Amino acid sequence: QQQVKQSPQSLIVQKGGISIINCAYENTAFDYFPWYQQFPGKGPALLIAIRPDVSEKKEGRFTISFNKSAKQFSLHIMDSQPGDSATYFCAKIIAAGTYKYIFGTGTRLKVLA
Amino acid sequence: NAGVTQTPKFRVLKTGQSMTLLCAQDMNHEYMYWYRQDPGMGLRLIHYSVGEGTTAKGEVPDGYNVSRLKKQNFLLGLESAAPPQTSVYFCASSHGGGRAGTQYFGPGTRLLVL
């Protein structure tokens, strides 16, 4: 069973600070790595996604960077805001040609005002 | 568009009781999924469907059954509920797989089995 190792489990950041969440994969051979954001009482929603042939992707204050040698992705939230307080999940496709994801265990982020 | 909706929002069952969770999507998506979410475990795939009339097992299928009689609906059944099935259940749908496979999630069903 493939695994996605996500860290940290929880994170507290001051408003305006940088939040960093890491995900390590056993296999980066497949072509889609989405990150989801989940607010309390809601379902997860796609935040940003990246392909492993791209070293970095930025959307607004959210950036994913890829460390190929470490097989690790990192989500950076710049200028973190209290509205960013949520749980973040990374995910990967289990095998090429399938539509199944395996998710990380989640990071609960709290941004202090 | 309502997106993905789930019924009911919350349910309490006694051990051994049965129930069906309903998921509906109005985005004409081919693929639908049922997940359970438990603290510290992330989202785990129970069953999924790649089209009307098809179903397949996911990561944790035991104790659950599913049906996809209509493209827009995906039902999750618990024939004999047990306390370990206490969880939050999420349904999701997607147009395709890979980069086209953004999954859209419903609001969840919180299930408590006593």
Side-chain angles (χ1 to χ4, degrees), chain B residues 5-28:
Chain B
T5 58
Q6 293 182 232
T7 309
K9 289 185 172 56
F10 177 71
R11 185 77 182 268
V12 179
L13 289 179
K14 294 181 180 178
T15 297
Q17 287 184 317
S18 64
M19 78 164 293
T20 300
L21 282 68
L22 172 64
C23 176
Q25 53 94 5
D26 61 1
M27 296 175 282
N28 201 33

PDB file of all heavy atoms in Angstrom, chain B residues 5-28:
ATOM      1  N   THR B   5     -24.354  16.966  -3.249  1.00  0.00           N
ATOM      2  CA  THR B   5     -25.153  17.031  -2.032  1.00  0.00           C
ATOM      3  C   THR B   5     -25.211  15.657  -1.375  1.00  0.00           C
ATOM      4  O   THR B   5     -25.117  14.624  -2.061  1.00  0.00           O
ATOM      5  CB  THR B   5     -26.585  17.515  -2.315  1.00  0.00           C
ATOM      6  OG1 THR B   5     -27.194  16.629  -3.268  1.00  0.00           O
ATOM      7  CG2 THR B   5     -26.576  18.923  -2.888  1.00  0.00           C
ATOM      8  N   GLN B   6     -25.325  15.650  -0.063  1.00  0.00           N
ATOM      9  CA  GLN B   6     -25.376  14.399   0.691  1.00  0.00           C
ATOM     10  C   GLN B   6     -26.556  14.415   1.644  1.00  0.00           C
ATOM     11  O   GLN B   6     -26.880  15.443   2.258  1.00  0.00           O
ATOM     12  CB  GLN B   6     -24.080  14.194   1.492  1.00  0.00           C
ATOM     13  CG  GLN B   6     -22.856  13.962   0.633  1.00  0.00           C
ATOM     14  CD  GLN B   6     -21.616  13.707   1.461  1.00  0.00           C
ATOM     15  OE1 GLN B   6     -20.587  14.349   1.277  1.00  0.00           O
ATOM     16  NE2 GLN B   6     -21.697  12.731   2.372  1.00  0.00           N
ATOM     17  N   THR B   7     -27.190  13.260   1.790  1.00  0.00           N
ATOM     18  CA  THR B   7     -28.318  13.097   2.698  1.00  0.00           C
ATOM     19  C   THR B   7     -28.146  11.815   3.482  1.00  0.00           C
ATOM     20  O   THR B   7     -27.819  10.773   2.883  1.00  0.00           O
ATOM     21  CB  THR B   7     -29.644  13.012   1.898  1.00  0.00           C
ATOM     22  OG1 THR B   7     -29.718  14.112   1.003  1.00  0.00           O
ATOM     23  CG2 THR B   7     -30.821  13.039   2.831  1.00  0.00           C
ATOM     24  N   PRO B   8     -28.330  11.789   4.799  1.00  0.00           N
ATOM     25  CA  PRO B   8     -28.608  12.938   5.673  1.00  0.00           C
ATOM     26  C   PRO B   8     -27.332  13.652   6.073  1.00  0.00           C
ATOM     27  O   PRO B   8     -26.244  13.232   5.704  1.00  0.00           O
ATOM     28  CB  PRO B   8     -29.256  12.254   6.886  1.00  0.00           C
ATOM     29  CG  PRO B   8     -28.531  10.945   6.985  1.00  0.00           C
ATOM     30  CD  PRO B   8     -28.287  10.520   5.558  1.00  0.00           C
ATOM     31  N   LYS B   9     -27.444  14.692   6.843  1.00  0.00           N
ATOM     32  CA  LYS B   9     -26.279  15.414   7.362  1.00  0.00           C
ATOM     33  C   LYS B   9     -25.728  14.742   8.613  1.00  0.00           C
ATOM     34  O   LYS B   9     -24.528  14.773   8.871  1.00  0.00           O
ATOM     35  CB  LYS B   9     -26.649  16.860   7.677  1.00  0.00           C
ATOM     36  CG  LYS B   9     -26.886  17.728   6.465  1.00  0.00           C
ATOM     37  CD  LYS B   9     -27.137  19.174   6.858  1.00  0.00           C
ATOM     38  CE  LYS B   9     -27.177  20.096   5.644  1.00  0.00           C
ATOM     39  NZ  LYS B   9     -28.166  19.697   4.642  1.00  0.00           N
ATOM     40  N   PHE B  10     -26.609  14.163   9.385  1.00  0.00           N
ATOM     41  CA  PHE B  10     -26.209  13.561  10.647  1.00  0.00           C
ATOM     42  C   PHE B  10     -27.155  12.410  10.972  1.00  0.00           C
ATOM     43  O   PHE B  10     -28.350  12.491  10.696  1.00  0.00           O
ATOM     44  CB  PHE B  10     -26.247  14.596  11.778  1.00  0.00           C
ATOM     45  CG  PHE B  10     -25.926  14.031  13.135  1.00  0.00           C
ATOM     46  CD1 PHE B  10     -24.635  13.634  13.444  1.00  0.00           C
ATOM     47  CD2 PHE B  10     -26.906  13.896  14.113  1.00  0.00           C
ATOM     48  CE1 PHE B  10     -24.331  13.111  14.691  1.00  0.00           C
ATOM     49  CE2 PHE B  10     -26.609  13.368  15.365  1.00  0.00           C
ATOM     50  CZ  PHE B  10     -25.323  12.976  15.650  1.00  0.00           C
ATOM     51  N   ARG B  11     -26.597  11.323  11.534  1.00  0.00           N
ATOM     52  CA  ARG B  11     -27.435  10.172  11.874  1.00  0.00           C
ATOM     53  C   ARG B  11     -26.817   9.429  13.032  1.00  0.00           C
ATOM     54  O   ARG B  11     -25.589   9.291  13.111  1.00  0.00           O
ATOM     55  CB  ARG B  11     -27.551   9.239  10.662  1.00  0.00           C
ATOM     56  CG  ARG B  11     -28.493   8.065  10.850  1.00  0.00           C
ATOM     57  CD  ARG B  11     -29.947   8.446  10.725  1.00  0.00           C
ATOM     58  NE  ARG B  11     -30.813   7.301  10.970  1.00  0.00           N
ATOM     59  CZ  ARG B  11     -31.268   6.493  10.016  1.00  0.00           C
ATOM     60  NH1 ARG B  11     -30.953   6.706   8.752  1.00  0.00           N
ATOM     61  NH2 ARG B  11     -32.033   5.476  10.341  1.00  0.00           N
ATOM     62  N   VAL B  12     -27.676   8.948  13.918  1.00  0.00           N
ATOM     63  CA  VAL B  12     -27.246   8.087  15.011  1.00  0.00           C
ATOM     64  C   VAL B  12     -27.876   6.714  14.794  1.00  0.00           C
ATOM     65  O   VAL B  12     -29.090   6.613  14.591  1.00  0.00           O
ATOM     66  CB  VAL B  12     -27.671   8.646  16.388  1.00  0.00           C
ATOM     67  CG1 VAL B  12     -27.233   7.696  17.498  1.00  0.00           C
ATOM     68  CG2 VAL B  12     -27.074  10.027  16.609  1.00  0.00           C
ATOM     69  N   LEU B  13     -27.065   5.678  14.827  1.00  0.00           N
ATOM     70  CA  LEU B  13     -27.539   4.313  14.652  1.00  0.00           C
ATOM     71  C   LEU B  13     -27.165   3.467  15.862  1.00  0.00           C
ATOM     72  O   LEU B  13     -26.162   3.755  16.532  1.00  0.00           O
ATOM     73  CB  LEU B  13     -26.902   3.654  13.425  1.00  0.00           C
ATOM     74  CG  LEU B  13     -27.309   4.115  12.031  1.00  0.00           C
ATOM     75  CD1 LEU B  13     -26.520   3.319  10.979  1.00  0.00           C
ATOM     76  CD2 LEU B  13     -28.800   3.924  11.811  1.00  0.00           C
ATOM     77  N   LYS B  14     -27.954   2.441  16.095  1.00  0.00           N
ATOM     78  CA  LYS B  14     -27.576   1.441  17.086  1.00  0.00           C
ATOM     79  C   LYS B  14     -26.854   0.304  16.364  1.00  0.00           C
ATOM     80  O   LYS B  14     -27.111   0.044  15.172  1.00  0.00           O
ATOM     81  CB  LYS B  14     -28.803   0.913  17.804  1.00  0.00           C
ATOM     82  CG  LYS B  14     -29.494   1.965  18.663  1.00  0.00           C
ATOM     83  CD  LYS B  14     -30.701   1.383  19.380  1.00  0.00           C
ATOM     84  CE  LYS B  14     -31.381   2.436  20.245  1.00  0.00           C
ATOM     85  NZ  LYS B  14     -32.591   1.893  20.923  1.00  0.00           N
ATOM     86  N   THR B  15     -25.968  -0.363  17.067  1.00  0.00           N
ATOM     87  CA  THR B  15     -25.247  -1.490  16.481  1.00  0.00           C
ATOM     88  C   THR B  15     -26.224  -2.481  15.866  1.00  0.00           C
ATOM     89  O   THR B  15     -27.217  -2.850  16.491  1.00  0.00           O
ATOM     90  CB  THR B  15     -24.402  -2.193  17.554  1.00  0.00           C
ATOM     91  OG1 THR B  15     -23.413  -1.269  18.031  1.00  0.00           O
ATOM     92  CG2 THR B  15     -23.703  -3.411  16.991  1.00  0.00           C
ATOM     93  N   GLY B  16     -25.928  -2.881  14.621  1.00  0.00           N
ATOM     94  CA  GLY B  16     -26.771  -3.844  13.929  1.00  0.00           C
ATOM     95  C   GLY B  16     -27.807  -3.219  13.010  1.00  0.00           C
ATOM     96  O   GLY B  16     -28.362  -3.908  12.143  1.00  0.00           O
ATOM     97  N   GLN B  17     -28.095  -1.940  13.174  1.00  0.00           N
ATOM     98  CA  GLN B  17     -29.055  -1.290  12.298  1.00  0.00           C
ATOM     99  C   GLN B  17     -28.431  -1.048  10.925  1.00  0.00           C
ATOM    100  O   GLN B  17     -27.212  -1.041  10.761  1.00  0.00           O
ATOM    101  CB  GLN B  17     -29.528   0.046  12.900  1.00  0.00           C
ATOM    102  CG  GLN B  17     -30.456  -0.116  14.078  1.00  0.00           C
ATOM    103  CD  GLN B  17     -30.987   1.222  14.579  1.00  0.00           C
ATOM    104  OE1 GLN B  17     -30.261   2.202  14.695  1.00  0.00           O
ATOM    105  NE2 GLN B  17     -32.279   1.240  14.887  1.00  0.00           N
ATOM    106  N   SER B  18     -29.305  -0.833   9.961  1.00  0.00           N
ATOM    107  CA  SER B  18     -28.821  -0.562   8.607  1.00  0.00           C
ATOM    108  C   SER B  18     -29.238   0.836   8.181  1.00  0.00           C
ATOM    109  O   SER B  18     -30.183   1.417   8.746  1.00  0.00           O
ATOM    110  CB  SER B  18     -29.384  -1.591   7.630  1.00  0.00           C
ATOM    111  OG  SER B  18     -30.796  -1.481   7.564  1.00  0.00           O
ATOM    112  N   MET B  19     -28.524   1.376   7.202  1.00  0.00           N
ATOM    113  CA  MET B  19     -28.916   2.656   6.656  1.00  0.00           C
ATOM    114  C   MET B  19     -28.252   2.859   5.295  1.00  0.00           C
ATOM    115  O   MET B  19     -27.295   2.155   4.950  1.00  0.00           O
ATOM    116  CB  MET B  19     -28.553   3.812   7.585  1.00  0.00           C
ATOM    117  CG  MET B  19     -27.104   4.226   7.579  1.00  0.00           C
ATOM    118  SD  MET B  19     -26.844   5.847   8.331  1.00  0.00           S
ATOM    119  CE  MET B  19     -27.675   6.924   7.171  1.00  0.00           C
ATOM    120  N   THR B  20     -28.788   3.808   4.558  1.00  0.00           N
ATOM    121  CA  THR B  20     -28.241   4.168   3.255  1.00  0.00           C
ATOM    122  C   THR B  20     -27.948   5.654   3.228  1.00  0.00           C
ATOM    123  O   THR B  20     -28.799   6.467   3.610  1.00  0.00           O
ATOM    124  CB  THR B  20     -29.216   3.821   2.124  1.00  0.00           C
ATOM    125  OG1 THR B  20     -29.471   2.417   2.133  1.00  0.00           O
ATOM    126  CG2 THR B  20     -28.629   4.211   0.774  1.00  0.00           C
ATOM    127  N   LEU B  21     -26.740   5.989   2.800  1.00  0.00           N
ATOM    128  CA  LEU B  21     -26.356   7.380   2.593  1.00  0.00           C
ATOM    129  C   LEU B  21     -26.497   7.688   1.101  1.00  0.00           C
ATOM    130  O   LEU B  21     -26.037   6.923   0.256  1.00  0.00           O
ATOM    131  CB  LEU B  21     -24.911   7.626   3.024  1.00  0.00           C
ATOM    132  CG  LEU B  21     -24.608   7.770   4.511  1.00  0.00           C
ATOM    133  CD1 LEU B  21     -24.829   6.453   5.239  1.00  0.00           C
ATOM    134  CD2 LEU B  21     -23.175   8.247   4.714  1.00  0.00           C
ATOM    135  N   LEU B  22     -27.113   8.840   0.823  1.00  0.00           N
ATOM    136  CA  LEU B  22     -27.351   9.211  -0.564  1.00  0.00           C
ATOM    137  C   LEU B  22     -26.437  10.347  -0.969  1.00  0.00           C
ATOM    138  O   LEU B  22     -26.284  11.328  -0.234  1.00  0.00           O
ATOM    139  CB  LEU B  22     -28.804   9.643  -0.757  1.00  0.00           C
ATOM    140  CG  LEU B  22     -29.151  10.249  -2.118  1.00  0.00           C
ATOM    141  CD1 LEU B  22     -28.970   9.227  -3.229  1.00  0.00           C
ATOM    142  CD2 LEU B  22     -30.576  10.789  -2.115  1.00  0.00           C
ATOM    143  N   CYS B  23     -25.844  10.211  -2.142  1.00  0.00           N
ATOM    144  CA  CYS B  23     -25.022  11.261  -2.731  1.00  0.00           C
ATOM    145  C   CYS B  23     -25.604  11.597  -4.106  1.00  0.00           C
ATOM    146  O   CYS B  23     -25.901  10.687  -4.896  1.00  0.00           O
ATOM    147  CB  CYS B  23     -23.583  10.805  -2.868  1.00  0.00           C
ATOM    148  SG  CYS B  23     -22.503  11.999  -3.711  1.00  0.00           S
ATOM    149  N   ALA B  24     -25.737  12.879  -4.383  1.00  0.00           N
ATOM    150  CA  ALA B  24     -26.229  13.314  -5.683  1.00  0.00           C
ATOM    151  C   ALA B  24     -25.342  14.421  -6.216  1.00  0.00           C
ATOM    152  O   ALA B  24     -24.904  15.285  -5.464  1.00  0.00           O
ATOM    153  CB  ALA B  24     -27.671  13.809  -5.572  1.00  0.00           C
ATOM    154  N   GLN B  25     -25.061  14.375  -7.536  1.00  0.00           N
ATOM    155  CA  GLN B  25     -24.273  15.446  -8.170  1.00  0.00           C
ATOM    156  C   GLN B  25     -24.982  15.882  -9.451  1.00  0.00           C
ATOM    157  O   GLN B  25     -25.550  15.064 -10.172  1.00  0.00           O
ATOM    158  CB  GLN B  25     -22.831  14.985  -8.444  1.00  0.00           C
ATOM    159  CG  GLN B  25     -22.687  13.685  -9.218  1.00  0.00           C
ATOM    160  CD  GLN B  25     -22.527  13.837 -10.712  1.00  0.00           C
ATOM    161  OE1 GLN B  25     -22.432  14.954 -11.240  1.00  0.00           O
ATOM    162  NE2 GLN B  25     -22.470  12.706 -11.408  1.00  0.00           N
ATOM    163  N   ASP B  26     -24.904  17.203  -9.703  1.00  0.00           N
ATOM    164  CA  ASP B  26     -25.580  17.755 -10.869  1.00  0.00           C
ATOM    165  C   ASP B  26     -24.582  18.301 -11.887  1.00  0.00           C
ATOM    166  O   ASP B  26     -24.912  19.185 -12.682  1.00  0.00           O
ATOM    167  CB  ASP B  26     -26.583  18.832 -10.450  1.00  0.00           C
ATOM    168  CG  ASP B  26     -25.917  20.007  -9.746  1.00  0.00           C
ATOM    169  OD1 ASP B  26     -24.674  20.012  -9.598  1.00  0.00           O
ATOM    170  OD2 ASP B  26     -26.656  20.927  -9.323  1.00  0.00           O
ATOM    171  N   MET B  27     -23.350  17.782 -11.876  1.00  0.00           N
ATOM    172  CA  MET B  27     -22.298  18.259 -12.775  1.00  0.00           C
ATOM    173  C   MET B  27     -22.052  17.289 -13.935  1.00  0.00           C
ATOM    174  O   MET B  27     -21.091  17.464 -14.689  1.00  0.00           O
ATOM    175  CB  MET B  27     -21.014  18.466 -11.965  1.00  0.00           C
ATOM    176  CG  MET B  27     -21.168  19.550 -10.912  1.00  0.00           C
ATOM    177  SD  MET B  27     -19.736  19.730  -9.833  1.00  0.00           S
ATOM    178  CE  MET B  27     -19.972  18.333  -8.734  1.00  0.00           C
ATOM    179  N   ASN B  28     -22.883  16.269 -14.052  1.00  0.00           N
ATOM    180  CA  ASN B  28     -22.756  15.280 -15.122  1.00  0.00           C
ATOM    181  C   ASN B  28     -21.402  14.557 -15.082  1.00  0.00           C
ATOM    182  O   ASN B  28     -20.847  14.187 -16.115  1.00  0.00           O
ATOM    183  CB  ASN B  28     -22.958  15.913 -16.507  1.00  0.00           C
ATOM    184  CG  ASN B  28     -23.340  14.878 -17.559  1.00  0.00           C
ATOM    185  OD1 ASN B  28     -24.018  13.904 -17.269  1.00  0.00           O
ATOM    186  ND2 ASN B  28     -22.891  15.090 -18.783  1.00  0.00           N
TER     187      ASN B  28
END
